Amino acid sequence: MGTHTEGSVDAIHIASEAGAEMQSLTDVKAVADRGLEGDRYFDRAGSWSGEKGRDLPPEDRALTLFEAETLDIVERDAGIELEPADHRRNITTRNVAVDHLLDERFQIGEAVCEGTEICEPCAYLESLTEEGVLSALVHRGGLNVKIVSTGEVSVGDQITVL
């Protein structure tokens, strides 16, 4: 069927540990089965790194995607202004229906990835932002991703389904 471009990387964010402020990056190394270098999940130090009843192994949620367009929808529908760092996902996409990448293999910059699970927002996110965020992001929380092949990812990189 060939490859086709879905959109691009709008922003990249990592946090060094659970609850830490998200740092904005222009580029980052995505490491197979680990995550983004410097991110809390790379070293298994994120809030969801432990068991907590989760079905996915850590390598299947090494990276998270979130649609930039959702920020506009949440502001319009719920009156809540969120910055790209506020949703606490690693990569904010532009012109990508991230839910459609579930069970698909795709490339972000040099890294090859696979969508593993639709993310739903959690009460923890609302505790870090403001009341109403949880309900505003239901079914719009992003996508958990496995990194299949290591590579550099930069803001502006294309996201291409393989």
Side-chain angles (χ1 to χ4, degrees):
M1 175 143 77
T3 62
H4 64 281
T5 299
E6 289 291 313
S8 61
V9 175
D10 201 54
I12 300 169
H13 290 89
I14 63 170
S16 58
E17 58 188 37
E21 188 174 326
M22 297 294 281
Q23 285 179 264
S24 177
L25 302 175
T26 54
D27 52 67
V28 69
K29 187 173 186 177
V31 179
D33 294 326
R34 290 288 304 271
L36 301 182
E37 276 189 352
D39 188 58
R40 63 215 184 269
Y41 290 101
F42 185 85
D43 291 318
R44 311 288 195 252
S47 296
W48 293 104
S49 294
E51 291 307 305
K52 295 195 182 187
R54 301 283 297 192
D55 294 331
L56 286 184
E59 62 271 15
D60 283 1
R61 52 182 190 275
L63 170 63
T64 50
L65 304 181
F66 188 89
E67 296 174 19
E69 293 82 0
T70 297
L71 300 174
D72 300 331
I73 292 168
V74 168
E75 184 174 355
R76 183 193 71 212
D77 294 355
I80 297 171
E81 288 185 49
L82 295 174
E83 295 298 318
D86 293 340
H87 55 68
R88 301 198 60 83
R89 305 295 187 224
N90 298 123
I91 294 181
T92 305
T93 66
R94 175 78 54 194
N95 298 320
V96 178
V98 298
D99 289 4
H100 295 182
L101 297 176
L102 180 63
D103 298 326
E104 293 286 340
R105 195 162 275 208
F106 53 96
Q107 189 162 344
I108 304 176
E110 297 175 348
V112 175
C113 302
E114 189 175 298
T116 57
E117 180 186 52
I118 303 294
C119 297
E120 287 297 344
C122 60
Y124 176 66
L125 175 64
E126 189 166 84
S127 77
L128 294 174
T129 53
E130 64 181 272
E131 191 173 331
V133 167
L134 186 64
S135 60
L137 290 179
V138 168
H139 307 310
R140 298 182 183 136
L143 183 70
N144 281 319
V145 173
K146 176 179 181 150
I147 302 168
V148 178
S149 175
T150 300
E152 290 292 320
V153 175
S154 302
V155 170
D157 280 351
Q158 296 297 299
I159 299 172
T160 307
V161 176
L162 301 175

